[in-house]
Amino acid sequence: MPASDRTFVLVGPDGTPYSSALPGTIGGHRGGKLYGRLDCRAALQAIARGGYVRHRVFFADEATAIAAGYRPCAVCMPREYATWKKSA
């Protein structure tokens, strides 16, 4: 299937999934309400163990993840996590 014909499911700022022609730039975990980079070491290890995939969500950007009520990952986004932790 050509990339232009592919549809991605992203989560919007209100937490509702929607279809997008563009892939998400941020991944998240629905159960933990956290988000991080798509190459996050912790997320990739969890995916390899098989327990993470069914709770995985994607966001267009970091601002959308925050608006949906998710927090930054301490592993792949330590500066953002420290800022979030100070304000929590």
Side-chain angles (χ1 to χ4, degrees):
M1 172 184 297
S4 62
D5 293 341
R6 188 158 181 200
T7 301
F8 301 91
V9 177
L10 306 182
V11 175
D14 62 354
T16 304
Y18 69 95
S19 294
S20 171
L22 300 173
T25 62
I26 297 286
H29 186 271
R30 188 178 309 115
K33 296 290 277 190
L34 60 97
Y35 70 88
R37 297 183 350 213
L38 296 177
D39 64 349
C40 176
R41 176 180 43 85
L44 294 175
Q45 287 173 344
I47 289 168
R49 288 190 303 270
Y52 191 89
V53 176
R54 63 189 191 129
H55 299 288
R56 186 102 159 126
V57 293
F58 298 93
F59 301 96
D61 52 41
E62 185 177 9
T64 304
I66 293 168
Y70 286 66
R71 67 149 178 97
C73 173
V75 175
C76 68
M77 303 183 86
R79 285 189 306 239
E80 293 87 344
Y81 176 79
T83 301
W84 171 83
K85 187 76 171 167
K86 286 180 187 176
S87 67

